[in-house]
Amino acid sequence: MNVEITPDERLTDALGTIINQFPPMVKGMVDLNTNQDNRQWRLTIFDIFSHLSSRDLIIDQITAAQLPELLALAVQSNPPFFQPAAVSPNELAKQKAYSYLANYLMGQFTRMLNTIGNPPQVIEELTVDAGDIMLAQIQRLQFNYNQRFRVANYLADIKARDGLLAAMSAKQSSALTGVGGEVVSLAGQIGQALGTVHYIIAERNAVKKSQDYFNKIITAGHYPLALLFAQQSNSEWFTNFFNQKHRPSLDQFKQAYHLSLEHIEDVNEMITDIISQLKLDIKVLPTGRTQDELLQLIDKL
């Protein structure tokens, strides 16, 4: 019988405790109410992989679970998207302040990574991962409004950002249980797929629910997967749509939206493919609680 899988409350409470230890200026800039669903998802992944060991959570594990969340907050504070508009001096100052906040959070990640009993190879790998996420943010910024951006680029982008954050959670959790390097690597692979598919599902649902959401993200240069599939079938229409001298009309936005909705099934097929491979990878893990809970988790998707 399936049971509800949620992260241990000690994992969910710890990030707030860490943030409260930061200088007041930093605390005032950090928003823990945004992206809670993504955070809950990664902490659930961390919790499940911690069950590779039968022992109860130790303080190092509780702290380690927050490291990807510090990176996620850094990414959140300095996102690679923006609405094209004239920027006032106050707005520019605010943007610069949040870029400094991202640097501060990255520094805290590095400091804490070295204080929780990680072996040197894990410290090195997670440090590289953190740098790769920031490089992926730069790449994402370069992708904005890029008419050569395609489905393969989209998938690589999500794997390199949301996917890699979840991979770090899985690798850090499994490494602290004492399992071998092969299992840690497989855990990272599974975590990356879980982070990727979770993002795609959330975006699909948001697009289906709201044309306003659809309009908002594409005017920021961020093209959802359904639109990219639609573009493959209607390349001339979308070329004309994106290359007008003026902002497209409301009717044109509406048509772009409906053309995209016609390709939701293509998005669903990609989700199904990722989940099918996930099931195969999960079954390679050692049998036991972690494997069982991961299979239950993806069944809920």
Side-chain angles (χ1 to χ4, degrees), residues 16 18-34 73 76-77 94 97-98 101 104-105:
I18 291 172
I19 299 300
N20 282 335
Q21 296 171 4
F22 291 165
M25 184 183 299
V26 173
K27 287 193 294 182
M29 296 175 69
V30 171
D31 181 8
L32 293 182
N33 295 317
T34 303
L73 288 172
Q76 172 186 316
S77 68
K94 182 178 178 182
Y98 277 98
L101 173 65
Y104 178 87
L105 293 169

Side-chain angles (χ1 to χ4, degrees), residues 234-294:
N234 306 273
S235 58
E236 184 176 352
W237 189 92
F238 277 101
T239 297
N240 293 331
F241 174 79
F242 285 120
N243 288 282
Q244 300 177 65
K245 292 183 178 179
H246 305 287
R247 181 185 175 95
S249 68
L250 292 178
D251 284 342
Q252 289 172 321
F253 271 110
K254 186 174 181 180
Q255 186 173 357
Y257 181 60
H258 286 295
L259 287 171
S260 299
L261 289 183
E262 290 175 3
H263 289 268
I264 288 293
E265 189 53 40
D266 292 322
V267 178
N268 291 339
E269 288 180 10
M270 178 174 285
I271 291 168
T272 299
D273 289 344
I274 295 173
I275 290 175
S276 296
Q277 183 60 52
L278 258 172
K279 289 181 177 180
L280 295 176
D281 291 340
I282 289 168
K283 289 176 180 177
V284 179
L285 287 169
T287 57
R289 183 176 174 182
T290 292
Q291 187 185 81
D292 292 343
E293 288 185 350
L294 285 170

Side-chain angles (χ1 to χ4, degrees), residues 80-146:
F81 306 108
F82 55 89
Q83 291 290 337
V87 179
S88 68
N90 283 344
E91 183 63 27
L92 181 60
K94 182 178 178 182
Q95 290 176 6
K96 288 180 70 67
Y98 277 98
S99 71
Y100 298 146
L101 173 65
N103 291 338
Y104 178 87
L105 293 169
M106 184 73 169
Q108 293 301 309
F109 163 85
T110 302
R111 179 185 66 80
M112 293 171 63
L113 181 64
N114 287 274
T115 63
I116 55 174
N118 273 316
Q121 65 270 23
V122 173
I123 293 174
E124 180 179 1
E125 184 168 349
L126 294 181
T127 301
V128 170
D129 286 345
D132 286 345
I133 288 172
M134 295 308 171
L135 291 174
Q137 289 288 93
I138 299 172
Q139 179 69 79
R140 174 66 258 183
L141 191 62
Q142 294 174 341
F143 276 145
N144 291 349
Y145 306 104
N146 188 331

Side-chain angles (χ1 to χ4, degrees), residues 54-75:
S54 59
R55 73 184 181 197
D56 190 25
L57 288 171
I58 60 174
I59 189 63
D60 276 356
Q61 288 173 295
I62 294 169
T63 302
Q66 313 313 314
L67 298 184
E69 303 318 311
L70 291 175
L71 288 180
L73 288 172
V75 168

Side-chain angles (χ1 to χ4, degrees), residues 96-218:
K96 288 180 70 67
Y98 277 98
S99 71
Y100 298 146
L101 173 65
N103 291 338
Y104 178 87
L105 293 169
M106 184 73 169
Q108 293 301 309
F109 163 85
T110 302
R111 179 185 66 80
M112 293 171 63
L113 181 64
N114 287 274
T115 63
I116 55 174
N118 273 316
Q121 65 270 23
V122 173
I123 293 174
E124 180 179 1
E125 184 168 349
L126 294 181
T127 301
V128 170
D129 286 345
D132 286 345
I133 288 172
M134 295 308 171
L135 291 174
Q137 289 288 93
I138 299 172
Q139 179 69 79
R140 174 66 258 183
L141 191 62
Q142 294 174 341
F143 276 145
N144 291 349
Y145 306 104
N146 188 331
Q147 293 306 299
R148 294 186 296 276
F149 190 69
R150 295 292 183 263
V151 170
N153 304 122
Y154 172 99
L155 193 58
D157 172 52
I158 302 308
K159 284 182 176 179
R161 296 188 302 119
D162 289 70
L164 190 49
L165 278 170
M168 292 178 71
S169 294
K171 285 192 288 188
Q172 176 66 99
S173 180
S174 56
L176 289 176
T177 67
V179 296
E182 289 185 3
V183 175
V184 173
S185 179
L186 179 58
Q189 181 177 321
I190 292 169
Q192 186 169 43
L194 285 169
T196 300
V197 75
H198 183 261
Y199 178 93
I200 295 172
I201 290 172
E203 181 193 80
R204 177 202 63 186
N205 293 345
V207 166
K208 288 173 63 177
K209 182 179 180 181
S210 169
Q211 183 177 346
D212 287 341
Y213 170 82
F214 175 85
N215 291 355
K216 180 180 178 180
I217 62 174
I218 66 173

